[in-house]
mmCIF file of all heavy atoms in Angstrom:
data_model
loop_
_atom_site.group_PDB
_atom_site.id
_atom_site.type_symbol
_atom_site.label_atom_id
_atom_site.label_comp_id
_atom_site.label_asym_id
_atom_site.label_seq_id
_atom_site.Cartn_x
_atom_site.Cartn_y
_atom_site.Cartn_z
ATOM 1 N N LEU A 279 2.413 13.196 96.524
ATOM 2 C CA LEU A 279 3.481 12.376 96.004
ATOM 3 C C LEU A 279 4.644 13.205 95.435
ATOM 4 O O LEU A 279 5.797 12.782 95.468
ATOM 5 C CB LEU A 279 2.981 11.438 94.926
ATOM 6 C CG LEU A 279 2.071 10.285 95.407
ATOM 7 C CD1 LEU A 279 1.391 9.583 94.222
ATOM 8 C CD2 LEU A 279 2.868 9.283 96.207
ATOM 9 N N SER A 280 4.325 14.386 94.891
ATOM 10 C CA SER A 280 5.373 15.207 94.265
ATOM 11 C C SER A 280 5.987 16.213 95.201
ATOM 12 O O SER A 280 6.948 16.898 94.836
ATOM 13 C CB SER A 280 4.768 15.964 93.042
ATOM 14 O OG SER A 280 3.695 16.812 93.464
ATOM 15 N N ALA A 281 5.506 16.310 96.459
ATOM 16 C CA ALA A 281 6.036 17.246 97.404
ATOM 17 C C ALA A 281 7.419 16.825 97.924
ATOM 18 O O ALA A 281 7.753 15.645 97.882
ATOM 19 C CB ALA A 281 5.070 17.418 98.592
ATOM 20 N N ASP A 282 8.206 17.764 98.411
ATOM 21 C CA ASP A 282 9.526 17.445 98.942
ATOM 22 C C ASP A 282 9.437 16.609 100.191
ATOM 23 O O ASP A 282 10.304 15.751 100.445
ATOM 24 C CB ASP A 282 10.328 18.736 99.238
ATOM 25 C CG ASP A 282 10.700 19.500 97.980
ATOM 26 O OD1 ASP A 282 10.806 18.799 96.934
ATOM 27 O OD2 ASP A 282 10.843 20.740 98.009
ATOM 28 N N LYS A 283 8.398 16.845 101.012
ATOM 29 C CA LYS A 283 8.180 16.072 102.251
ATOM 30 C C LYS A 283 6.825 15.468 102.267
ATOM 31 O O LYS A 283 5.861 16.045 101.777
ATOM 32 C CB LYS A 283 8.379 16.974 103.475
ATOM 33 C CG LYS A 283 9.804 17.471 103.703
ATOM 34 C CD LYS A 283 9.887 18.235 105.019
ATOM 35 C CE LYS A 283 11.320 18.681 105.299
ATOM 36 N NZ LYS A 283 11.431 19.401 106.591
ATOM 37 N N LEU A 284 6.728 14.251 102.854
ATOM 38 C CA LEU A 284 5.424 13.610 102.952
ATOM 39 C C LEU A 284 4.651 14.013 104.191
ATOM 40 O O LEU A 284 3.425 13.914 104.210
ATOM 41 C CB LEU A 284 5.611 12.057 102.993
ATOM 42 C CG LEU A 284 5.715 11.357 101.650
ATOM 43 C CD1 LEU A 284 5.979 9.870 101.822
ATOM 44 C CD2 LEU A 284 4.485 11.561 100.806
ATOM 45 N N ASP A 285 5.354 14.479 105.238
ATOM 46 C CA ASP A 285 4.704 14.867 106.492
ATOM 47 C C ASP A 285 3.727 13.782 106.984
ATOM 48 O O ASP A 285 2.534 14.009 107.181
ATOM 49 C CB ASP A 285 3.925 16.192 106.321
ATOM 50 C CG ASP A 285 4.874 17.373 106.091
ATOM 51 O OD1 ASP A 285 5.980 17.356 106.652
ATOM 52 O OD2 ASP A 285 4.503 18.283 105.342
ATOM 53 N N LEU A 286 4.260 12.621 107.254
ATOM 54 C CA LEU A 286 3.465 11.478 107.645
ATOM 55 C C LEU A 286 3.084 11.560 109.119
ATOM 56 O O LEU A 286 3.883 11.995 109.950
ATOM 57 C CB LEU A 286 4.245 10.175 107.393
ATOM 58 C CG LEU A 286 4.570 9.867 105.948
ATOM 59 C CD1 LEU A 286 5.422 8.636 105.855
ATOM 60 C CD2 LEU A 286 3.312 9.712 105.124
ATOM 61 N N PRO A 287 1.870 11.098 109.458
ATOM 62 C CA PRO A 287 1.499 11.053 110.870
ATOM 63 C C PRO A 287 2.304 9.984 111.610
ATOM 64 O O PRO A 287 2.718 8.990 111.033
ATOM 65 C CB PRO A 287 0.020 10.700 110.839
ATOM 66 C CG PRO A 287 -0.183 9.957 109.514
ATOM 67 C CD PRO A 287 0.805 10.609 108.579
ATOM 68 N N ASP A 288 2.546 10.212 112.872
ATOM 69 C CA ASP A 288 3.191 9.167 113.702
ATOM 70 C C ASP A 288 2.283 7.954 113.797
ATOM 71 O O ASP A 288 1.049 8.089 113.719
ATOM 72 C CB ASP A 288 3.485 9.719 115.112
ATOM 73 C CG ASP A 288 4.566 10.786 115.066
ATOM 74 O OD1 ASP A 288 5.444 10.703 114.183
ATOM 75 O OD2 ASP A 288 4.544 11.713 115.911
ATOM 76 N N PRO A 289 2.863 6.757 113.965
ATOM 77 C CA PRO A 289 2.039 5.537 114.042
ATOM 78 C C PRO A 289 0.905 5.641 115.047
ATOM 79 O O PRO A 289 -0.214 5.233 114.745
ATOM 80 C CB PRO A 289 3.040 4.467 114.409
ATOM 81 C CG PRO A 289 4.340 4.951 113.828
ATOM 82 C CD PRO A 289 4.311 6.457 113.989
ATOM 83 N N GLY A 290 1.170 6.188 116.219
ATOM 84 C CA GLY A 290 0.169 6.311 117.243
ATOM 85 C C GLY A 290 -0.968 7.249 116.891
ATOM 86 O O GLY A 290 -2.077 7.187 117.454
ATOM 87 N N GLN A 291 -0.704 8.171 115.945
ATOM 88 C CA GLN A 291 -1.703 9.164 115.517
ATOM 89 C C GLN A 291 -2.356 8.797 114.194
ATOM 90 O O GLN A 291 -3.188 9.511 113.672
ATOM 91 C CB GLN A 291 -1.033 10.526 115.369
ATOM 92 C CG GLN A 291 -0.354 11.037 116.648
ATOM 93 C CD GLN A 291 -1.320 11.216 117.795
ATOM 94 O OE1 GLN A 291 -2.438 11.701 117.589
ATOM 95 N NE2 GLN A 291 -0.935 10.785 118.986
ATOM 96 N N SER A 292 -1.966 7.636 113.620
ATOM 97 C CA SER A 292 -2.487 7.233 112.336
ATOM 98 C C SER A 292 -3.793 6.478 112.508
ATOM 99 O O SER A 292 -4.251 6.219 113.633
ATOM 100 C CB SER A 292 -1.487 6.322 111.613
ATOM 101 O OG SER A 292 -1.413 5.054 112.260
ATOM 102 N N HIS A 293 -4.440 6.141 111.367
ATOM 103 C CA HIS A 293 -5.685 5.397 111.446
ATOM 104 C C HIS A 293 -5.463 3.880 111.601
ATOM 105 O O HIS A 293 -6.425 3.117 111.714
ATOM 106 C CB HIS A 293 -6.533 5.635 110.181
ATOM 107 C CG HIS A 293 -5.874 5.130 108.917
ATOM 108 N ND1 HIS A 293 -4.822 5.760 108.322
ATOM 109 C CD2 HIS A 293 -6.178 4.052 108.132
ATOM 110 C CE1 HIS A 293 -4.471 5.107 107.227
ATOM 111 N NE2 HIS A 293 -5.270 4.068 107.103
ATOM 112 N N TYR A 294 -4.203 3.446 111.559
ATOM 113 C CA TYR A 294 -3.888 2.053 111.671
ATOM 114 C C TYR A 294 -3.885 1.609 113.146
ATOM 115 O O TYR A 294 -3.518 2.392 114.036
ATOM 116 C CB TYR A 294 -2.500 1.740 111.088
ATOM 117 C CG TYR A 294 -2.393 1.995 109.595
ATOM 118 C CD1 TYR A 294 -1.692 3.076 109.095
ATOM 119 C CD2 TYR A 294 -3.056 1.158 108.703
ATOM 120 C CE1 TYR A 294 -1.585 3.304 107.742
ATOM 121 C CE2 TYR A 294 -2.957 1.414 107.332
ATOM 122 C CZ TYR A 294 -2.224 2.468 106.858
ATOM 123 O OH TYR A 294 -2.123 2.701 105.508
ATOM 124 N N ILE A 295 -4.323 0.378 113.399
ATOM 125 C CA ILE A 295 -4.336 -0.152 114.785
ATOM 126 C C ILE A 295 -3.728 -1.564 114.754
ATOM 127 O O ILE A 295 -3.674 -2.202 113.711
ATOM 128 C CB ILE A 295 -5.743 -0.189 115.375
ATOM 129 C CG1 ILE A 295 -6.687 -1.034 114.513
ATOM 130 C CG2 ILE A 295 -6.298 1.220 115.547
ATOM 131 C CD1 ILE A 295 -8.085 -1.230 115.110
#
Side-chain angles (χ1 to χ4, degrees):
L279 289 169
S280 60
D282 291 334
K283 290 185 178 181
L284 275 177
D285 292 326
L286 296 175
D288 291 330
Q291 303 298 318
S292 71
H293 65 285
Y294 297 109
I295 58 174

